[in-house]
Amino acid sequence: MISEPSRHCTVEVQALPSRIGQVRRIVSAHLRYWHLDALIDHAALGLTELLTNVHRHAQPDKKCTVEVELLLDRLTVSVLDHDPRLPSETAGDPDGDPDPYATSGRGLAIVEAVSESWGVRQEGSGKVVWFTLPAPSLSLTAPPRPHAVHGATTDGPFAPAAFVPDDVPFGVPAESVRPHATARSAIAG
C-alpha cells in the first residue's frame, strides 16, 4: 500500500533483499516528485541500512512499514518493525567496540554519518528507527510549476499567462515573465 497525502509516503513491505531495491526506487521517485533530488542519495543509503537491519535481525517476521515525511525543512525517514528489541551501534560485540575487520555491523554508524539526527522509539509491540535530513525550504502551498514539452505546440487550452519557463527563479510572478513565442514541431507532415 502506498499513500501520499501532501508530502507523506508510506510503504508496507517484507524486508527481503529483493524488495529493498524496490522500496529505495519508490522513495527516490517520491523525492524527485517533491523536488528533493539532492536528498536521494543519503535517504536511499540510510533506508537501505534500516531495511537491512530488519532483514537480518527482526523477529518474529520481516514485515515493516517505511514512512517518509517532509515537514517544513526536515525530511524524516522511518522504519517500523514488529521486534521490540532496540538496535545498538555495536550489536553483537560484548565489549561495545566494533571490530575494524568485520564485514558487517556498521549500519547505524552509516545512518548517523549521512543524517542530521537519528533515533529509535518503542511503538506498540515493535519499534521505529528513524533519521532526519535537512531539506531546502519549499512553499508547501505553491502549486507545482508547469514544464514545457519540447517539440509540441502550446496552442490549445493552455493559458499563456500560466506558463512559466524552467529558467525563471521560483517565486517570480508569471505575469512579470516575457511570453515565449509559440513552439511548433520541427517534424514535417
Side-chain angles (χ1 to χ4, degrees):
M1 174 180 83
I2 300 172
S3 63
E4 186 196 37
S6 183
R7 305 240 175 148
H8 182 257
C9 170
T10 303
V11 180
E12 294 176 5
V13 68
Q14 289 276 346
L16 302 173
S18 61
R19 302 298 244 160
I20 292 173
Q22 292 172 338
V23 175
R24 247 191 350 251
R25 286 188 293 277
I26 290 168
V27 169
S28 296
H30 277 278
L31 294 179
R32 268 193 283 303
Y33 181 73
W34 296 341
H35 303 288
L36 296 173
D37 299 52
L39 301 181
I40 291 173
D41 290 341
H42 286 164
L45 179 57
L47 178 60
T48 299
E49 295 302 330
L50 296 185
L51 290 173
T52 300
N53 282 350
V54 172
H55 171 69
R56 295 188 70 191
H57 305 291
Q59 299 294 331
D61 59 38
K62 306 303 178 187
K63 290 183 203 172
C64 63
T65 302
V66 174
E67 188 173 38
V68 181
E69 185 171 32
L70 178 64
L71 292 175
L72 301 176
D73 61 349
R74 294 286 169 275
L75 181 76
T76 302
V77 177
S78 60
V79 175
L80 171 120
D81 66 49
H82 303 285
D83 190 340
R85 296 175 300 159
L86 300 180
S88 74
E89 288 185 76
T90 56
D93 184 11
D95 300 325
D97 296 322
D99 178 359
Y101 301 107
T103 58
S104 64
R106 293 182 181 82
L108 292 176
I110 291 171
V111 170
E112 181 177 28
V114 300
S115 67
E116 180 179 65
S117 61
W118 76 276
V120 61
R121 71 178 183 274
Q122 296 289 155
E123 186 155 322
S125 62
K127 68 179 170 302
V128 174
V129 183
W130 56 268
F131 64 91
T132 63
L133 298 170
S137 296
L138 298 172
S139 170
L140 297 178
T141 59
R145 294 187 346 188
H147 295 281
V149 178
H150 299 285
T153 180
T154 56
D155 291 338
F158 305 106
F163 176 78
V164 179
D166 288 333
D167 58 343
V168 175
F170 187 77
V172 173
E175 302 81 59
S176 67
V177 178
R178 183 176 52 111
H180 291 283
T182 301
R184 299 279 181 203
S185 174
I187 300 172

